[in-house]
Amino acid sequence: MGLPQRFILVLLSIYLYSASVVNTQQEFKIQSVKLIIEPRNDVTAGTNVTLRCQATVSTSTEKGPIREYTILKNDKIVYTKTIGSSEDFVYQLHNARVFSTGLYQCKLDIQGDTKLSKAQRLNVQGLSQPVLHLEMNVVNEGEEVQATCIAPGEIGSFIFFFFDNDEQMSRVEGLSNQAKTTFRLSSGGIHKIHCSYKIRTAEDTFPSTKSNNVTVSVKELSITPVLKISPDSTIYEGDHLNISCSAQNFHSSSEGYKLFLSQGTKLLRTGNSTINHNMVAVPKVSEALTFDCRVEMRNVEKYTKKAISVVELFSVPSLTMFPTEIFQGEIMTLTCNSERFASQRINREDLEYTLYPSKNLPSSGKPGVFNVKALQNDFNYTCSAEAKGIKKDSKTLMIRPKVHVSALKISIEDKVILKKSITILCQSNGSLPINYTLFKDNVQVGTKVIRERNRQAVFMDVINKPGEIQYRCEAKNSLHSNKTGSSQHLSVNVIVPLSLMTLTVIPTPLAISEGEDLRFICSVNGTGPVTFKWYRTGSAVPLQTNTTTETYSSFVIKPVSKNDSDKYYCEASNGANKVRSENVDVQVLMALWKKMLIIVACLLLLSVLLLVASMLYIKSKRDRREAAAELSVKPSSPKSDDPLTVNLTHDTDVYNAATDAVSFYDGKEGRVTNGTRHSMASVPADISNRSSYSIPATV
């Protein structure tokens, strides 16, 4: 390579490098992308449709960047193309079809920067009429026919349908606009064949119209099945049947056929020539015996059917029991009987009955009648009837012996209180349902029926008079027997609520002295046992609690002291209610010996004071006489602080104090405060003659 050529290559490389640098530095902005469907969004099939993608892109240079356009249909890529110009991108849909229907979008991609247009819907209306072609128009019965159905010009996902006289014969799915199928026309005559198709899109399915009708003539095979049954008159159960199945009008010696003989869904015999079958006639419940004879040749099948009625020789026996309600250990009668029989063939005496199991059964002397003793648990029996070699079994009879009521118990749930509702419960063992009857003093109160296990019969009653009441229950669970279970008599004592409570205090609250015994007696009206409690006001703890069958009780404080002065009350309860007495105020007086001691001391003090006073008085008289004598010698006016005057005044004050002290205790014997500080109540001075004091109760 010469120097000029090398120089040119260098210059070309520099130019390409510069261009690439400039291109990589070019800036752009996709402003908008718009999709336009031309000529319009709704078109008919066969129209040429244009999808125009318009993009507005801002660039920093005159030459725009490389653009990549993508057309999407229902979010799936249809077509992609890269262009270097700014012109509109155009995508052509030539001869648009229904399959072209959908939502279309245009996506622009420039160096990884993308923008998507708004979706535009294209609706293509109208499918082409399908065309049907058949290989043959005349065929033999059972011969295959090939058909082709074409959807001219259509594309997409197809479902083709083929019909024989509007009855669908086959269905073919695929992506091709034509489908082939083969079928056989089994019956002779003229058949009109046509087809149709459907195109599936992502959103919907579009059906086409019917194709052209193609007429096919079918030559029927002359072969005919023949079914014979003997006897052909009235058939009775147990008769022997002869059945034959054959083919007639068959003339071809080169082709064979096959015969099938069936009874209902049961295949009896098959063969290539006449089929004979022997059997015993057995009736079917509420329907006839149906036989089917079929002949098959060249994939053609022809058949004939016959139904015969079989008269039942005797009906299926039924097993019954009497009585319908049986208890353990009782004798019952089981009867096995066939209600209907064919009198033209047998007599009733021809029927023989057997009971299963048949161990140690006592004979009743009548056909089909058996005497059986009920067991202790559930057991099953069946029976059979037999005549002329035919045996029929009855349904299983399950026998559940009942258990008589036993261990009947009666109880009362609550305390029995006068004029209050009480609950009486009755329960027993035995088979359900159980009828319970309640009696009060041998008078029926009510009845209850219990149908669930472990349930008690609940009775409600009210007692309106005091005293002892007797209840008892009777239970019965048999409809045909008078045997009942009876409970023991339940004796109840009626609790009478307490009332008219009184609290008696001995001695009376106004004549209580220290050292004496103080007795509180509570009494009520009602029934025991009664619990008595005595309280001192201000304390919740009882001083004494006593339960007794009597309606009264007492509490003693011995000996009393001044500290026992307070208010007291009594409470009583007997399970029906509780009553409370009024408060009684007790003030304990000073003891008699203490009073006498004070009086003696006061008298002694008074005597001493009187003695002192008299002595002072005598001394004062003597002093006055001496003073008078002195005055007679030397008279002078008396002074205020004369000792004689002072002494006389002092003596007078001492005497008055002693007199008051004695008068304070005078007449105090037999007095007690009545609950107020400054009031006094007089009581007899003779303590031995004191009376009791009572106060009513508050209920």
Side-chain angles (χ1 to χ4, degrees):
M1 181 181 293
L3 181 61
Q5 288 86 354
R6 293 180 180 176
F7 181 76
I8 293 172
L9 288 175
V10 170
L11 291 178
L12 181 60
S13 300
I14 294 173
Y15 173 79
L16 292 175
Y17 175 77
S18 300
S20 64
V21 171
V22 172
N23 192 38
T24 56
Q25 294 178 349
Q26 185 180 23
E27 295 183 355
F28 63 91
K29 174 63 178 175
I30 303 176
Q31 295 184 0
S32 63
V33 178
K34 183 179 181 181
L35 177 66
I36 301 174
I37 298 178
E38 300 172 350
R40 54 192 171 273
N41 291 63
D42 296 327
V43 297
T44 58
T47 304
N48 293 326
V49 177
T50 301
L51 302 180
R52 184 178 299 277
C53 190
Q54 295 179 345
T56 303
V57 181
S58 300
T59 61
S60 59
T61 61
E62 292 184 0
K63 186 177 181 180
I66 302 300
R67 307 183 183 192
E68 182 182 83
Y69 287 96
T70 302
I71 300 297
L72 297 97
K73 175 188 175 184
N74 298 326
D75 297 325
K76 293 182 179 180
I77 297 176
V78 175
Y79 183 74
T80 299
K81 186 176 182 181
T82 301
I83 61 176
S85 66
S86 60
E87 296 179 355
D88 295 346
F89 171 68
V90 176
Y91 176 70
Q92 298 289 340
L93 290 175
H94 298 287
N95 194 19
R97 294 294 173 181
V98 170
F99 186 75
S100 303
T101 298
L103 286 174
Y104 289 86
Q105 288 178 288
C106 176
K107 184 175 75 171
L108 174 61
D109 186 337
I110 301 178
Q111 298 180 16
D113 187 13
T114 63
K115 200 173 192 68
L116 195 65
S117 71
K118 290 183 179 180
Q120 294 290 332
R121 182 173 185 82
L122 173 63
N123 293 315
V124 180
Q125 302 291 332
L127 290 173
S128 61
Q129 183 181 11
V131 178
L132 177 65
H133 296 283
L134 296 181
E135 287 185 345
M136 297 178 292
N137 295 95
V138 179
V139 296
N140 294 319
E141 184 180 9
E143 189 176 356
E144 283 189 347
V145 178
Q146 187 176 47
T148 303
C149 188
I150 302 173
E154 300 296 341
I155 58 174
S157 176
F158 293 88
I159 306 174
F160 288 92
F161 304 92
F162 295 85
F163 299 88
D164 175 14
N165 296 328
D166 295 327
E167 181 180 349
Q168 183 178 321
M169 294 186 297
S170 63
R171 164 186 170 135
V172 179
E173 296 186 21
L175 299 177
S176 173
N177 68 338
Q178 62 177 329
K180 293 184 178 181
T181 187
T182 58
F183 51 86
R184 289 184 174 89
L185 301 175
S186 58
S187 61
I190 302 300
H191 295 259
K192 292 184 178 181
I193 312 299
H194 70 271
C195 70
S196 66
Y197 66 91
K198 290 182 179 180
I199 292 182
R200 290 182 298 196
T201 66
E203 298 176 346
D204 205 351
T205 301
F206 299 91
S208 72
T209 58
K210 292 181 180 181
S211 70
N212 55 303
N213 285 322
V214 177
T215 301
V216 178
S217 177
V218 179
K219 296 180 179 180
E220 186 175 2
L221 292 177
S222 60
I223 191 170
T224 304
V226 177
L227 178 62
K228 294 181 180 180
I229 301 174
S230 64
D232 54 3
S233 58
T234 304
I235 301 174
Y236 290 90
E237 181 181 10
D239 289 351
H240 290 277
L241 299 179
N242 296 317
I243 307 166
S244 67
C245 175
S246 59
Q248 288 183 349
N249 302 324
F250 181 69
H251 304 293
S252 176
S253 59
S254 61
E255 292 184 85
Y257 59 87
K258 193 170 185 178
L259 295 170
F260 301 87
L261 177 62
S262 304
Q263 179 192 346
T265 58
K266 182 181 179 180
L267 182 63
L268 299 178
R269 286 180 180 274
T270 63
N272 297 322
S273 59
T274 301
I275 297 173
N276 293 308
H277 180 72
N278 297 320
M279 61 181 291
V280 175
V282 178
K284 295 187 68 174
V285 179
S286 70
E287 62 179 279
L289 297 181
T290 302
F291 294 92
D292 183 298
C293 177
R294 293 176 180 263
V295 59
E296 186 179 275
M297 177 181 176
R298 295 182 193 171
N299 297 317
V300 176
E301 187 178 277
K302 295 188 176 184
Y303 67 91
T304 181
K305 289 185 177 183
K306 279 188 178 182
I308 61 172
S309 297
V310 179
V311 179
E312 191 176 40
L313 191 63
F314 58 90
S315 61
V316 175
S318 61
L319 183 60
T320 58
M321 63 177 286
F322 180 84
T324 56
E325 179 187 76
I326 193 71
F327 287 84
Q328 293 175 349
E330 293 182 348
I331 300 297
M332 61 182 174
T333 300
L334 300 180
T335 303
C336 184
N337 181 50
S338 294
E339 294 184 359
R340 302 179 306 276
F341 65 95
S343 58
Q344 297 86 348
R345 293 294 181 93
I346 63 172
N347 298 318
R348 183 171 292 278
E349 291 75 15
D350 296 331
L351 290 169
E352 295 182 2
Y353 298 99
T354 306
L355 183 68
Y356 303 97
S358 56
K359 295 181 180 179
N360 301 324
L361 294 179
S363 176
S364 65
K366 296 181 179 179
V369 179
F370 308 91
N371 294 324
V372 180
K373 185 177 181 180
L375 302 179
Q376 298 297 316
N377 52 357
D378 296 353
F379 54 98
N380 298 332
Y381 279 105
T382 59
C383 76
S384 66
E386 186 174 0
K388 292 189 176 296
I390 298 174
K391 185 178 180 180
K392 298 182 180 180
D393 295 324
S394 70
K395 292 182 178 179
T396 300
L397 175 64
M398 176 180 286
I399 299 176
R400 293 182 173 178
K402 299 183 68 176
V403 180
H404 282 294
V405 292
S406 62
L408 181 57
K409 297 179 181 179
I410 183 171
S411 61
I412 292 183
E413 194 173 61
D414 308 311
K415 295 178 180 178
V416 182
I417 301 173
L418 186 67
K419 296 184 180 179
K420 292 293 181 77
S421 177
I422 61 173
T423 302
I424 302 103
L425 305 177
C426 296
Q427 188 174 18
S428 69
N429 298 329
S431 301
L432 299 172
I434 301 177
N435 294 300
Y436 291 92
T437 304
L438 178 67
F439 294 88
K440 180 171 70 173
D441 290 339
N442 294 323
V443 177
Q444 182 174 326
V445 175
T447 60
K448 297 283 184 180
V449 179
I450 300 301
R451 304 181 185 276
E452 298 178 13
R453 294 193 177 278
N454 301 321
R455 289 289 300 274
Q456 296 174 314
V458 181
F459 296 92
M460 307 298 294
D461 194 24
V462 177
I463 299 177
N464 295 313
K465 63 179 182 178
E468 185 180 79
I469 304 295
Q470 286 190 341
Y471 287 98
R472 67 180 177 89
C473 275
E474 285 188 359
K476 181 180 178 182
N477 63 349
S478 175
L479 300 176
H480 307 288
S481 173
N482 293 325
K483 185 175 181 180
T484 60
S486 182
S487 70
Q488 295 181 349
H489 286 78
L490 177 65
S491 298
V492 295
N493 290 315
V494 181
I495 301 176
V496 179
L498 301 178
S499 63
L500 301 177
M501 183 178 188
T502 58
L503 175 58
T504 303
V505 181
I506 300 176
T508 63
L510 303 179
I512 305 170
S513 299
E514 288 180 304
E516 294 181 334
D517 291 346
L518 177 60
R519 184 179 297 274
F520 297 90
I521 302 175
C522 278
S523 63
V524 292
N525 283 355
T527 56
V530 183
T531 299
F532 292 93
K533 294 181 181 181
W534 288 268
Y535 293 88
R536 189 171 182 170
T537 57
S539 175
V541 179
L543 299 172
Q544 180 175 302
T545 301
N546 185 25
T547 301
T548 177
T549 57
E550 304 294 338
T551 57
Y552 62 88
S553 185
S554 63
F555 163 60
V556 180
I557 301 176
K558 58 180 181 179
V560 295
S561 64
K562 292 288 287 183
N563 293 332
D564 295 322
S565 297
D566 209 336
K567 293 181 179 180
Y568 295 84
Y569 66 92
C570 175
E571 282 186 354
S573 61
N574 68 343
N577 65 334
K578 180 191 292 186
V579 294
R580 181 186 187 277
S581 72
E582 296 285 348
N583 293 342
V584 60
D585 193 356
V586 174
Q587 295 294 331
V588 180
L589 301 178
M590 188 180 295
L592 180 60
W593 66 271
K594 290 183 179 181
K595 295 179 183 179
M596 297 303 295
L597 183 60
I598 293 173
I599 293 173
V600 170
C602 290
L603 290 176
L604 289 175
L605 179 60
L606 181 59
S607 299
V608 173
L609 291 176
L610 290 175
L611 180 59
V612 172
S614 62
M615 291 176 64
L616 291 175
Y617 177 70
I618 295 171
K619 183 178 182 300
S620 65
K621 287 183 66 177
R622 185 173 64 248
D623 290 342
R624 281 197 298 271
R625 285 196 299 268
E626 291 176 357
E630 290 178 1
L631 287 175
S632 62
V633 177
K634 192 191 297 184
S636 62
S637 56
K639 297 181 181 179
S640 60
D641 55 356
D642 188 355
L644 178 60
T645 305
V646 174
N647 290 335
L648 288 174
T649 305
H650 174 72
D651 295 341
T652 304
D653 293 338
V654 172
Y655 175 80
N656 290 335
T659 304
D660 291 340
V662 173
S663 63
F664 175 78
Y665 291 99
D666 186 25
K668 288 288 186 175
E669 178 63 34
R671 297 191 180 187
V672 65
T673 61
N674 62 359
T676 61
R677 177 173 295 184
H678 301 293
S679 62
M680 302 290 290
S682 298
V683 297
D686 185 3
I687 298 175
S688 63
N689 193 27
R690 295 172 182 171
S691 61
S692 64
Y693 173 78
S694 299
I695 189 164
T698 299
V699 181

Coordinates of all heavy atoms in Angstrom, one line a residue, residues 351-395:
L351 N -96.1 -72.9 50.1 CA -95.1 -72.0 50.5 C -94.5 -72.5 51.9 O -95.3 -72.8 52.8 CB -95.5 -70.6 50.7 CG -95.9 -69.8 49.5 CD1 -96.6 -68.5 49.8 CD2 -94.6 -69.5 48.7
E352 N -93.2 -72.7 51.9 CA -92.5 -73.1 53.2 C -91.7 -71.9 53.7 O -90.9 -71.3 53.0 CB -91.6 -74.3 52.9 CG -92.4 -75.6 52.5 CD -91.5 -76.7 52.3 OE1 -90.3 -76.6 52.5 OE2 -92.0 -77.8 51.9
Y353 N -91.9 -71.7 55.0 CA -91.2 -70.5 55.6 C -90.1 -71.1 56.6 O -90.3 -72.0 57.3 CB -92.2 -69.6 56.4 CG -93.2 -69.0 55.5 CD1 -94.5 -69.6 55.4 CD2 -92.9 -67.9 54.8 CE1 -95.5 -69.0 54.6 CE2 -93.9 -67.3 53.9 CZ -95.1 -67.8 53.9 OH -96.1 -67.3 53.0
T354 N -89.0 -70.4 56.6 CA -87.9 -70.7 57.6 C -87.4 -69.4 58.2 O -87.2 -68.4 57.5 CB -86.8 -71.4 56.8 OG1 -87.3 -72.5 56.1 CG2 -85.7 -71.9 57.8
L355 N -87.1 -69.5 59.5 CA -86.6 -68.4 60.3 C -85.2 -68.6 60.6 O -84.7 -69.7 60.9 CB -87.4 -68.2 61.6 CG -87.0 -67.0 62.5 CD1 -87.4 -65.7 61.8 CD2 -87.7 -67.1 63.8
Y356 N -84.4 -67.5 60.4 CA -82.9 -67.6 60.7 C -82.5 -66.5 61.7 O -83.0 -65.4 61.5 CB -82.1 -67.4 59.4 CG -82.5 -68.4 58.3 CD1 -83.4 -68.0 57.3 CD2 -81.9 -69.6 58.3 CE1 -83.7 -68.9 56.3 CE2 -82.2 -70.5 57.3 CZ -83.1 -70.2 56.3 OH -83.4 -71.0 55.2
P357 N -81.7 -66.8 62.7 CA -81.3 -68.2 63.1 C -82.5 -68.9 63.7 O -83.5 -68.3 64.2 CB -80.3 -67.9 64.2 CG -80.6 -66.6 64.7 CD -81.2 -65.8 63.6
S358 N -82.5 -70.2 63.7 CA -83.6 -71.1 64.1 C -83.3 -72.0 65.2 O -83.7 -73.2 65.2 CB -84.2 -71.8 62.9 OG -83.1 -72.6 62.3
K359 N -82.6 -71.6 66.2 CA -82.2 -72.4 67.3 C -83.2 -72.4 68.4 O -83.7 -71.4 68.9 CB -80.8 -72.0 67.9 CG -79.7 -72.1 67.0 CD -78.4 -71.6 67.6 CE -77.2 -71.7 66.7 NZ -76.0 -71.3 67.3
N360 N -83.7 -73.7 68.8 CA -84.6 -73.9 69.9 C -85.8 -73.0 69.9 O -86.2 -72.3 70.8 CB -83.8 -73.6 71.2 CG -82.7 -74.5 71.4 OD1 -82.7 -75.7 71.0 ND2 -81.6 -74.0 72.0
L361 N -86.5 -73.0 68.7 CA -87.7 -72.1 68.5 C -88.9 -73.0 68.9 O -89.1 -74.0 68.3 CB -87.8 -71.6 67.1 CG -86.7 -70.6 66.7 CD1 -87.0 -70.2 65.2 CD2 -86.7 -69.4 67.6
P362 N -89.7 -72.6 69.8 CA -91.0 -73.3 70.1 C -91.9 -73.2 69.0 O -92.1 -72.2 68.3 CB -91.5 -72.6 71.4 CG -90.9 -71.3 71.4 CD -89.6 -71.4 70.7
S363 N -92.6 -74.3 68.6 CA -93.6 -74.3 67.5 C -94.9 -73.6 67.9 O -95.4 -73.8 69.0 CB -93.8 -75.8 67.1 OG -94.8 -75.8 66.1
S364 N -95.4 -72.9 66.9 CA -96.7 -72.2 67.1 C -97.8 -73.0 66.5 O -99.0 -72.7 66.7 CB -96.6 -70.8 66.6 OG -96.5 -70.9 65.1
G365 N -97.5 -73.9 65.6 CA -98.5 -74.7 64.9 C -99.0 -74.0 63.6 O -99.9 -74.6 62.9
K366 N -98.6 -72.8 63.3 CA -99.1 -72.1 62.1 C -97.9 -71.9 61.2 O -96.8 -71.5 61.7 CB -99.7 -70.8 62.5 CG -101.0 -70.9 63.3 CD -101.6 -69.5 63.6 CE -102.8 -69.7 64.4 NZ -103.4 -68.3 64.7
P367 N -98.0 -72.0 59.9 CA -96.9 -71.8 58.9 C -96.4 -70.3 59.0 O -97.2 -69.4 59.0 CB -97.5 -72.1 57.6 CG -98.7 -73.0 57.8 CD -99.2 -72.5 59.2
G368 N -95.2 -70.2 59.1 CA -94.6 -68.9 59.1 C -94.7 -68.1 60.4 O -94.3 -66.9 60.5
V369 N -95.2 -68.7 61.5 CA -95.4 -68.1 62.8 C -94.4 -68.7 63.8 O -94.5 -69.9 64.0 CB -96.8 -68.1 63.3 CG1 -97.0 -67.4 64.6 CG2 -97.8 -67.5 62.3
F370 N -93.6 -67.9 64.5 CA -92.6 -68.4 65.4 C -92.6 -67.6 66.7 O -92.8 -66.4 66.7 CB -91.2 -68.3 64.7 CG -91.1 -68.8 63.4 CD1 -91.3 -68.1 62.2 CD2 -90.7 -70.2 63.2 CE1 -91.2 -68.6 61.0 CE2 -90.6 -70.7 61.9 CZ -90.9 -69.9 60.8
N371 N -92.6 -68.4 67.8 CA -92.5 -67.7 69.1 C -91.1 -67.7 69.6 O -90.4 -68.7 69.6 CB -93.4 -68.5 70.1 CG -94.8 -68.5 69.8 OD1 -95.3 -67.5 69.3 ND2 -95.5 -69.6 70.0
V372 N -90.6 -66.5 69.9 CA -89.2 -66.2 70.3 C -89.2 -65.4 71.6 O -90.0 -64.5 71.8 CB -88.5 -65.4 69.2 CG1 -87.1 -65.2 69.5 CG2 -88.6 -66.2 67.8
K373 N -88.2 -65.8 72.4 CA -87.9 -65.1 73.7 C -86.9 -64.0 73.4 O -85.8 -64.2 72.9 CB -87.5 -66.0 74.8 CG -87.3 -65.4 76.1 CD -86.9 -66.4 77.2 CE -86.8 -65.7 78.5 NZ -86.4 -66.7 79.6
A374 N -87.2 -62.8 73.8 CA -86.3 -61.6 73.6 C -85.1 -61.8 74.4 O -85.1 -62.2 75.6 CB -87.0 -60.3 74.0
L375 N -83.9 -61.5 73.8 CA -82.7 -61.6 74.4 C -82.4 -60.4 75.3 O -83.2 -59.4 75.3 CB -81.6 -61.8 73.4 CG -81.7 -63.1 72.5 CD1 -80.6 -63.1 71.5 CD2 -81.8 -64.3 73.3
Q376 N -81.2 -60.4 75.9 CA -80.8 -59.2 76.7 C -80.2 -58.1 75.9 O -80.0 -57.0 76.4 CB -79.8 -59.7 77.8 CG -80.3 -60.7 78.7 CD -81.5 -60.2 79.6 OE1 -81.4 -59.1 80.1 NE2 -82.5 -61.0 79.7
N377 N -79.8 -58.4 74.6 CA -79.2 -57.3 73.8 C -79.9 -57.3 72.4 O -80.8 -58.1 72.2 CB -77.7 -57.6 73.7 CG -77.4 -59.0 73.2 OD1 -78.3 -59.8 73.1 ND2 -76.1 -59.3 73.0
D378 N -79.4 -56.5 71.5 CA -80.0 -56.4 70.2 C -79.7 -57.6 69.4 O -78.6 -58.2 69.5 CB -79.4 -55.1 69.5 CG -79.8 -53.8 70.1 OD1 -80.6 -53.9 71.1 OD2 -79.3 -52.8 69.7
F379 N -80.6 -58.0 68.5 CA -80.4 -59.2 67.7 C -81.2 -59.1 66.4 O -82.2 -58.3 66.3 CB -80.7 -60.5 68.4 CG -82.1 -60.6 69.0 CD1 -83.1 -61.2 68.3 CD2 -82.4 -60.0 70.2 CE1 -84.4 -61.3 68.9 CE2 -83.7 -60.0 70.8 CZ -84.7 -60.7 70.1
N380 N -80.8 -59.8 65.4 CA -81.4 -59.8 64.0 C -82.0 -61.1 63.6 O -81.5 -62.2 64.0 CB -80.3 -59.4 63.0 CG -79.7 -58.0 63.2 OD1 -80.4 -57.1 63.8 ND2 -78.5 -57.8 62.8
Y381 N -83.1 -61.0 62.9 CA -83.8 -62.2 62.3 C -84.1 -61.9 60.9 O -84.4 -60.8 60.5 CB -85.1 -62.5 63.1 CG -84.9 -63.3 64.4 CD1 -85.0 -62.6 65.6 CD2 -84.6 -64.6 64.4 CE1 -84.8 -63.3 66.8 CE2 -84.4 -65.3 65.6 CZ -84.5 -64.6 66.8 OH -84.3 -65.3 68.0
T382 N -84.0 -63.0 60.1 CA -84.5 -63.0 58.7 C -85.3 -64.3 58.5 O -85.2 -65.2 59.2 CB -83.4 -62.9 57.7 OG1 -82.5 -64.1 57.9 CG2 -82.6 -61.7 57.8
C383 N -86.1 -64.2 57.4 CA -86.9 -65.5 57.1 C -86.9 -65.6 55.6 O -86.6 -64.7 54.8 CB -88.3 -65.4 57.6 SG -89.4 -64.3 56.7
S384 N -87.2 -66.9 55.1 CA -87.3 -67.2 53.7 C -88.6 -67.9 53.4 O -89.1 -68.6 54.3 CB -86.1 -68.0 53.3 OG -86.2 -69.3 53.9
A385 N -89.0 -67.7 52.2 CA -90.2 -68.4 51.6 C -89.7 -69.2 50.4 O -89.0 -68.6 49.6 CB -91.3 -67.4 51.3
E386 N -90.2 -70.4 50.3 CA -89.8 -71.3 49.2 C -90.9 -72.1 48.6 O -91.8 -72.6 49.3 CB -88.7 -72.2 49.7 CG -88.0 -73.0 48.5 CD -86.8 -73.8 49.1 OE1 -86.5 -73.8 50.3 OE2 -86.2 -74.5 48.2
A387 N -90.9 -72.1 47.2 CA -91.9 -72.9 46.5 C -91.4 -73.2 45.1 O -90.9 -72.3 44.4 CB -93.3 -72.2 46.4
K388 N -91.6 -74.5 44.6 CA -91.2 -74.9 43.3 C -89.7 -74.6 43.0 O -89.3 -74.1 41.9 CB -92.1 -74.3 42.2 CG -93.5 -74.9 42.3 CD -94.3 -74.4 41.1 CE -95.7 -75.1 41.1 NZ -95.6 -76.6 40.9
G389 N -88.9 -74.7 44.0 CA -87.4 -74.5 43.8 C -87.0 -73.0 43.9 O -85.8 -72.7 43.7
I390 N -87.9 -72.1 44.1 CA -87.6 -70.7 44.2 C -87.6 -70.3 45.6 O -88.6 -70.5 46.4 CB -88.6 -69.9 43.3 CG1 -88.5 -70.3 41.9 CG2 -88.3 -68.4 43.5 CD1 -89.6 -69.6 41.0
K391 N -86.6 -69.6 46.0 CA -86.4 -69.2 47.4 C -86.2 -67.7 47.5 O -85.3 -67.2 46.7 CB -85.2 -70.0 48.0 CG -85.1 -69.7 49.5 CD -83.9 -70.5 50.1 CE -83.7 -70.3 51.5 NZ -82.6 -71.1 52.1
K392 N -86.9 -67.1 48.4 CA -86.8 -65.6 48.5 C -86.6 -65.3 50.0 O -87.3 -65.9 50.9 CB -88.0 -64.9 48.0 CG -88.2 -65.1 46.5 CD -89.4 -64.3 46.0 CE -89.6 -64.5 44.5 NZ -90.8 -63.7 44.0
D393 N -85.7 -64.3 50.3 CA -85.4 -63.9 51.6 C -86.0 -62.6 52.0 O -86.0 -61.7 51.1 CB -83.9 -63.9 51.9 CG -83.2 -65.2 51.7 OD1 -83.8 -66.2 52.1 OD2 -82.1 -65.3 51.2
S394 N -86.4 -62.5 53.2 CA -87.0 -61.2 53.7 C -85.8 -60.2 54.0 O -84.7 -60.6 54.1 CB -87.8 -61.4 54.9 OG -87.0 -61.8 56.0
K395 N -86.2 -59.0 54.3 CA -85.2 -58.0 54.8 C -84.9 -58.4 56.3 O -85.7 -59.0 57.0 CB -85.8 -56.6 54.7 CG -86.0 -56.1 53.3 CD -86.5 -54.7 53.3 CE -86.6 -54.1 51.9 NZ -87.1 -52.7 51.9

